Amino acid sequence: MHLIDFMNEDIKKKLVKKTYKKKETILFAEQENEYVILMIDGIAEAFILNVKGNISTIHLYRSGSFFGEMEQFNDGKKPVEIVAFTDCNVYKLHRNDFLNWLKGDFEATKFLIREITSKLVVNAELIEELSSLSVKERLLRCISLHYYRNELNLLTKKQLASEVNAPIRSINRAINECVQEHLIAYENKRFSVINQREVLKNLPTT
């Protein structure tokens, strides 16, 4: 089931439909958010930017998922930014309508708590997993994301080193290893994918 399945008709009438184009920001980090957002279709990418300016994707939201719910209960730091990975259609429900609905719907509240708990566990596991990945594995993860976005032709070694959080010499070793395994190619300062199936195995699936 999805969160929208618990909504009665009165609440559904308060949903506002909105479309976001690919690469358009849906939620800005550190900014006030008064809406819970439910994905109708498309994929949205949640990422954090660390103090060094490196980007780490922590979640991919797909049809049926939702986000923005934690901000309705927490006025603290909000480091996560969410951007449309593809064109996205969403429903937005204002905080007041969201909280008033939950007050009178215990089943929806239980479902929400389960989903939040699951999301926290998955994200914690992902962060732990990322910290244990080798430079090569982080490199393939980064390349798979850029390839999926159809932006691989824009990826440079400098940017890759920043996103992978590794020195250029380590990046070069990882690139050479991937080239020798016929996973990718690197020619004329441009990356290309040779083995799409294997490379896309590194794409986040959450």
Side-chain angles (χ1 to χ4, degrees):
M1 295 185 70
H2 303 309
L3 186 61
I4 196 170
D5 296 326
F6 289 87
M7 294 181 177
N8 56 47
E9 291 303 315
D10 289 337
I11 292 297
K12 287 182 179 179
K13 290 177 182 177
K14 295 179 180 180
L15 294 171
V16 177
K17 188 175 181 180
K18 185 172 176 59
T19 297
Y20 291 91
K21 296 296 184 181
K22 180 180 179 181
K23 298 183 183 179
E24 189 175 357
T25 300
I26 302 175
L27 284 184
F28 288 91
E30 306 302 345
Q31 289 192 11
E32 180 71 15
N33 169 40
E34 296 183 345
Y35 292 90
V36 176
I37 300 174
L38 297 84
M39 293 289 295
I40 302 172
D41 54 62
I43 302 174
E45 176 184 10
F47 64 84
I48 55 175
L49 190 68
N50 66 23
V51 293
K52 295 182 179 180
N54 301 320
I55 293 173
S56 295
T57 297
I58 60 171
H59 205 92
L60 291 180
Y61 291 100
R62 294 177 168 83
S63 175
S65 59
F66 60 90
F67 50 88
E69 76 287 351
M70 293 187 189
E71 292 91 325
Q72 313 318 318
F73 303 102
N74 176 27
D75 293 328
K77 188 177 180 181
K78 305 173 183 69
V80 178
E81 188 142 321
I82 300 179
V83 174
F85 200 86
T86 65
D87 289 351
C88 294
N89 290 305
V90 307
Y91 283 129
K92 302 179 73 173
L93 182 64
H94 191 269
R95 170 184 296 164
N96 294 339
D97 297 321
F98 175 68
L99 295 177
N100 286 334
W101 167 48
L102 292 182
K103 287 178 183 178
D105 194 328
F106 184 58
E107 291 302 316
T109 301
K110 286 197 300 182
F111 177 82
L112 181 70
I113 292 172
R114 285 198 303 269
E115 291 297 300
I116 290 176
T117 302
S118 175
K119 189 185 299 185
L120 290 173
V121 170
V122 168
N123 286 348
E125 290 174 346
L126 176 60
I127 291 171
E128 182 179 357
E129 177 188 345
L130 287 175
S131 67
S132 65
L133 292 180
S134 66
V135 172
K136 176 188 171 185
E137 290 169 330
R138 298 202 305 274
L139 179 141
L140 284 172
R141 186 176 189 274
C142 181
I143 286 178
S144 71
L145 281 164
H146 283 273
Y147 179 74
Y148 193 82
R149 297 183 189 121
N150 197 29
E151 296 175 350
L152 192 56
N153 62 314
L154 303 176
L155 183 64
T156 64
K157 276 189 180 182
K158 182 178 180 180
Q159 181 181 352
L160 190 59
S162 175
E163 293 186 18
V164 172
N165 195 21
I168 287 291
R169 62 180 181 276
S170 299
I171 293 295
N172 285 332
R173 284 196 296 268
I175 289 173
N176 290 336
E177 188 175 345
C178 291
V179 169
Q180 291 172 8
E181 294 176 7
H182 305 290
L183 297 173
I184 65 172
Y186 183 70
E187 298 175 346
N188 300 319
K189 297 183 178 181
R190 289 291 181 267
F191 293 97
S192 59
V193 171
I194 303 300
N195 191 329
Q196 176 180 328
R197 181 177 179 181
E198 288 300 315
V199 169
L200 287 181
K201 284 182 179 179
N202 297 274
L203 192 69
T205 56
T206 55

